[in-house]
Amino acid sequence: MRKGRVAVVAGMLAVVAVLIWWIGHKGGGGVHATEAPGARDSKQPAKADTPVAPAHASIGGKVTDDKGKPIEGAIVRIAPHEGDETAARTAKDGTYGFDDVAPGKLTASASAVGFLAKDGGAIALAPGEQRTLDFTLAPGGHSLAGSVTDATGGSIAGVLIEASRERGVLAGTTPDIAAAYTDDQGHYTMTVADGAYRVSASHAEYVGATKRTDVTPSGATVDFALVPGGVIEGTVEDATTGQGVAGAHVDVEREVMSGGPGGEGARGRGLASTITDGTGHFRVSGLEPGAIAIRARAPGRVSLEPTVVPLGVAESVTGVIVVVQRAPSISGTIVDEDGKPAPEATAYLMGEMSIENAEADANGAFVFEGVKPGSYQLAAGGHDYLDSKALVPVTVEKTPVTGVKLVVERGAMIRGRVDPAQVADVEIPRDPTEAAGGGLDLRALTQDRVATEAGPDGTFVLGPVDPGTTEVAARAADGRRGKVSVDVTPKGADGVVIHLADGATLMGRVTDGKGPVAGAIVSVRRVKAHARTEVIVNGIELTAERAPTGADGRYQIMGLDAGDYELQVIDERGAPYAWRAPADKTRPAAPVKVTLAAADRKTQDLEIERPHGVIKGVVMGPDGKPLADAWVSASRGFEDMMGRHDSPDDEDVSRMMVVRSDGGDDDLGIFGGVPPVLTGPDGRFELAHLRRGTYEVTAEGVKGMARGSKSGVEPDADITITLASLTELSGSVVANGAPVGDFTVELSGTARREQRFLAADGHFTMQRIDPGTYDVEVSAKEGTGHASVTVVAGQKADVQVTLVGHGRITGKVVDEAGKPIAGAPVVSVPNQGNGMVSVSISGPPKTTGDDGSFAIDSEPGARYLVVLGGSGPVVMKALDVKSGDTIDLGTLTAEKHPHRPH
């Protein structure tokens, strides 16, 4: 029988926000959407709450080559921490200038065709400041080119294309961002170095898009087809005074269509952010059609729920009012291990599906203004400090929370060089599955990778890191690698030398039976006998090497250690291609195995089947007529989509899949999801380039107010999807005969939805609910309750829920040697009675303390206590929890590789 564990970790920015584990073949749970009433019209101009905006600043300078010669036509881009990027071309003398730059922190970079991009560093502009910033660009790089067209036809000029090199999915991208504008024919060209890149296209009148690509010495081509975008204008008002709020931060996102990995019930992808002017007015453009959720925050005020605006294709909506209410603050200090203030460190506030940050001042003080009531956890890090190892829990009610103390450690720095001297990536390898004591290393998953780049002279400075023995690895552009063990003292380590060597080389050609396959990625994973651990982040496996294929389909990976490897061919989103197997078209993809000896040069050709399936059809509106301008997308189930194969009976497979969303425009395509298309005037659509398998096809229209889907669809099908109008679900919540004022409602059924309510009378209303039957689960500090409700299209539904008090579970977790396991997530989940366990955690999880102890509240009934480890549960214990009772489990010994509940 197949043995396996599949884990999914979903996060916002750099924080683990949802953790879902599948034991066996089944799963559930997810990230859920937040709903609120729609926008209301503005009948009279709002008065400004703080009408005076800070004076704008300016930036200017010159771009030259390494010989001091001015570069004409170079692109200089600036990216503020709040707001959109801006770019400018240099004049004939190499000069550029930006006026009316909002004061605050920003980053800058410069690039030009034939030159490598240069980072200008982090900049802090004071009001009215005039900053000079010059750039010197070095020649080199390869061509990255393409074209941009309008999805409705024609080319688009003036689109800003930005290419940032990925340092790793968890670590984000490098700051030396190359940029270019499309010409009158919609074409662009830029120059970048080798590596994996995130390429984005943005234009004020269009919905932005992002793609990933690998650039080789032969270059790369990335094309875009953009959808005309909508515009929303409005005002942020104070709920008490009705006045406009100047300087408010406005975040705009599109609610995601249901269905698919990270799709069903998921919070929408970020679209835009801006800051209100002196009258509280804001304007955002380039928005996707659908239901657009708008949130705002200002000092001491926040939107308790988003304002939702239905938006059509290229529609302009004005007069939107976003209300902010008075909310308490969280303040405290960040100190180092000696108790001294940690200036320039950053505090992180983590709640359910949200993360905010606040920088400490010279005294280490920080403050988060306008915090909604709820439970949060805080951490700190940044600058020369290591991120916090422990999270500090905080509960916010009606009054400010003060005196929070966050402790960081000042990290050590490693200084050295690579030999022979050359540009090389240098890093400390990190495996989140190898946490001390068997616990899940949340710090490894959420903290940016410790990495840097050695310069042309081979020198590097790496850190901050923990003192102790650590491994430092380097990889040059030509594929040579090296690694060395370093003893790091509290003062750091100097004179470290990493010798680069060829190692084993694996090369070959990828074809599809008709010819070479260019632009594919060959993934090479080291395997061990009878066990395999896979860590997959946004479709990219961190435990594997990658190499793109060139125009001739050839790939090459150098510097490999001796050992056994598995090969798979994947696309830029991490989804595997099927092996070409004419005799068995239903066979899923299975890795090719290769054994390498030291200094081997082995050739392994690979033959795949290119995805060529098509799903087409028509979308009918709620009135039964073909519907134009409806979004249509398709997604696959996790097992089907990842193309996983059966493992031998004696092989233990552990999989950790991480979804990290940074609000990018490509988030819906993660893990093989199909980018959405718009229906034409006749309601017809076509989704092309699909792999074998079954899909759920989802359509949304009428400005996001109608939705429909069809499951089990295979390529080459012609289907009809009829949309149903979304409706409203209301209800009330009571406990011990009294209304509950603070509670969360979660719907499970046709779609998954979750929303928190603050209502003294216990009443709630959820908008835009898909028709169907739902289990309604309500949770609050008073307890948990369940009810069932059927929602009919066009009819409002109502449900009443009575809460039952929680039980409590306590205990202590130790390893096999009796040593306490700290920082391990602990949860209580339903015992479904079928041996399958699904875990979903919204927000930072409850974890064991330094002594391994824990105390959690649990819904009553048949439950499993689950303690999570690096590659699966390390404790699973069946319990019968009763309301109001406490179960003390005493000391629990963690297992290294549990395979089934007990």
Side-chain angles (χ1 to χ4, degrees), residues 45-385:
K47 298 179 180 179
D49 192 28
T50 51
V52 180
H56 282 175
S58 64
I59 298 178
K62 191 173 186 179
V63 180
T64 60
D65 62 18
D66 55 351
K67 296 180 175 58
K69 182 180 178 180
I71 301 177
E72 181 182 4
I75 301 293
V76 180
R77 65 179 293 281
I78 59 174
H81 284 203
E82 296 284 350
D84 297 329
E85 298 88 350
T86 304
R89 291 188 179 93
T90 57
K92 188 174 183 179
D93 61 355
T95 60
Y96 73 94
F98 294 95
D99 297 323
D100 296 329
V101 180
K105 293 191 174 182
L106 54 85
T107 58
S109 62
S111 59
V113 175
F115 297 86
L116 295 174
K118 177 73 172 180
D119 169 36
I123 300 169
L125 285 179
E129 180 181 358
Q130 296 180 339
R131 177 71 62 92
T132 298
L133 182 63
D134 296 329
F135 293 90
T136 300
L137 304 186
H142 313 297
S143 174
L144 173 60
S147 62
V148 183
T149 57
D150 188 311
T152 61
S155 60
I156 310 175
V159 178
L160 177 62
I161 308 295
E162 297 171 293
S164 50
R165 189 162 67 95
E166 291 187 333
R167 292 182 291 192
V169 179
L170 288 177
T173 58
T174 59
D176 49 342
I177 298 174
Y181 279 106
T182 57
D183 60 21
D184 292 341
Q185 286 74 46
H187 301 304
Y188 72 90
T189 300
M190 63 175 66
T191 304
V192 297
D194 293 346
Y197 282 82
R198 183 175 300 178
V199 186
S200 63
S202 59
H203 190 285
E205 298 178 5
Y206 290 85
V207 177
T210 302
K211 293 185 177 181
R212 291 186 178 94
T213 191
D214 285 84
V215 179
T216 66
S218 59
T221 300
V222 178
D223 298 326
F224 295 93
L226 304 185
V227 175
V231 176
I232 295 178
E233 293 188 62
T235 304
V236 175
E237 289 186 1
D238 184 281
T240 303
T241 66
Q243 293 183 335
V245 180
H249 297 259
V250 180
D251 295 314
V252 180
E253 66 181 20
R254 183 189 186 280
E255 292 184 334
V256 75
M257 293 188 291
S258 62
E264 183 177 9
R267 185 175 174 180
R269 48 182 167 171
L271 293 179
S273 63
T274 189
I275 299 175
T276 59
D277 65 13
T279 66
H281 179 265
F282 67 89
R283 183 182 188 274
V284 287
S285 60
L287 302 178
E288 285 186 4
I292 307 296
I294 308 174
R295 295 172 172 84
R297 53 190 168 87
R301 288 161 290 187
V302 69
S303 300
L304 294 182
E305 295 295 344
T307 295
V308 176
V309 180
L311 186 68
V313 174
E315 182 182 14
S316 180
V317 177
T318 61
V320 174
I321 301 298
V322 180
V323 177
V324 290
Q325 301 184 28
R326 300 290 171 177
S329 61
I330 298 176
S331 60
T333 56
I334 307 175
V335 300
D336 62 20
E337 59 267 41
D338 297 324
K340 298 179 180 179
E344 298 187 39
T346 301
Y348 303 100
L349 177 67
M350 294 169 281
E352 290 191 8
M353 290 311 301
S354 68
I355 179 171
E356 295 182 39
N357 61 75
E359 294 188 4
D361 62 16
N363 299 315
F366 70 89
V367 61
F368 291 97
E369 295 278 9
V371 181
K372 294 189 224 179
S375 297
Y376 298 87
Q377 297 199 55
L378 289 96
H383 196 52
D384 292 333
Y385 303 99

Side-chain angles (χ1 to χ4, degrees), residues 801-835:
V801 183
T802 300
L803 305 187
V804 177
H806 292 140
R808 194 164 180 80
I809 307 172
T810 62
K812 181 178 181 180
V813 184
V814 299
D815 62 18
E816 293 177 336
K819 181 180 177 181
I821 296 178
V826 183
V827 295
S828 168
V829 300
N831 183 344
Q832 303 173 16
N834 58 4

Side-chain angles (χ1 to χ4, degrees), residues 645-723:
H645 58 287
D646 286 338
S647 304
D649 290 343
D650 61 347
E651 184 176 39
D652 182 19
V653 183
S654 297
R655 299 189 185 107
M656 179 184 296
M657 296 170 62
V658 180
V659 180
R660 171 175 163 158
S661 172
D662 59 2
D665 296 298
D666 61 341
D667 289 345
L668 285 180
I670 290 171
F671 290 155
V674 179
V677 298
L678 282 172
T679 57
D682 57 356
R684 299 288 302 181
F685 69 89
E686 183 174 296
L687 298 165
H689 307 297
L690 304 179
R691 291 172 170 76
R692 293 195 308 264
T694 58
Y695 292 80
E696 179 179 9
V697 183
T698 303
E700 180 184 274
V702 196
K703 303 180 183 181
M705 302 306 293
R707 195 155 43 219
S709 65
K710 188 174 288 292
S711 301
V713 182
E714 296 185 358
D716 302 326
D718 193 325
I719 62 175
T720 298
I721 300 178
T722 301
L723 305 191

Side-chain angles (χ1 to χ4, degrees), residues 782-871:
E782 290 84 354
T784 305
H786 292 267
S788 180
V789 65
T790 298
V791 177
V792 178
Q795 299 180 22
K796 295 182 179 181
D798 188 78
V799 65
Q800 312 299 314
V801 183
T802 300
L803 305 187
V804 177
H806 292 140
R808 194 164 180 80
I809 307 172
T810 62
K812 181 178 181 180
V813 184
V814 299
D815 62 18
E816 293 177 336
K819 181 180 177 181
I821 296 178
V826 183
V827 295
S828 168
V829 300
N831 183 344
Q832 303 173 16
N834 58 4
M836 301 296 175
V837 178
S838 169
V839 179
S840 174
I841 305 173
S842 294
K846 298 287 186 180
T847 58
T848 54
D850 291 340
D851 61 352
S853 64
F854 65 87
I856 64 170
D857 291 328
S858 171
E859 185 176 346
R863 311 288 293 181
Y864 274 114
L865 176 87
V866 180
V867 181
L868 299 175
S871 56

Side-chain angles (χ1 to χ4, degrees), residues 604-773:
Q604 178 66 60
D605 293 333
L606 305 168
E607 193 168 17
I608 65 170
E609 179 183 287
R610 242 189 265 243
H612 57 267
V614 174
I615 296 176
K616 57 185 177 180
V618 63
V619 174
M620 312 296 287
D623 59 0
K625 298 178 181 179
L627 183 64
D629 293 336
W631 276 116
V632 183
S633 186
S635 57
R636 302 167 66 187
F638 279 109
E639 290 288 336
D640 184 34
M641 156 213 46
M642 291 307 295
R644 295 305 173 188
H645 58 287
D646 286 338
S647 304
D649 290 343
D650 61 347
E651 184 176 39
D652 182 19
V653 183
S654 297
R655 299 189 185 107
M656 179 184 296
M657 296 170 62
V658 180
V659 180
R660 171 175 163 158
S661 172
D662 59 2
D665 296 298
D666 61 341
D667 289 345
L668 285 180
I670 290 171
F671 290 155
V674 179
V677 298
L678 282 172
T679 57
D682 57 356
R684 299 288 302 181
F685 69 89
E686 183 174 296
L687 298 165
H689 307 297
L690 304 179
R691 291 172 170 76
R692 293 195 308 264
T694 58
Y695 292 80
E696 179 179 9
V697 183
T698 303
E700 180 184 274
V702 196
K703 303 180 183 181
M705 302 306 293
R707 195 155 43 219
S709 65
K710 188 174 288 292
S711 301
V713 182
E714 296 185 358
D716 302 326
D718 193 325
I719 62 175
T720 298
I721 300 178
T722 301
L723 305 191
S725 297
L726 305 183
T727 187
E728 178 182 293
L729 172 64
S730 298
S732 59
V733 181
V734 298
N736 300 317
V740 176
D742 183 354
F743 55 90
T744 298
V745 180
E746 180 178 350
L747 304 183
S748 302
T750 304
R752 297 190 65 91
R753 302 286 286 278
E754 182 177 298
Q755 182 177 348
R756 184 181 176 194
F757 295 91
L758 300 172
D761 60 359
H763 184 79
F764 69 90
T765 299
M766 302 180 78
Q767 305 286 343
R768 295 174 313 288
I769 304 299
D770 296 78
T773 299

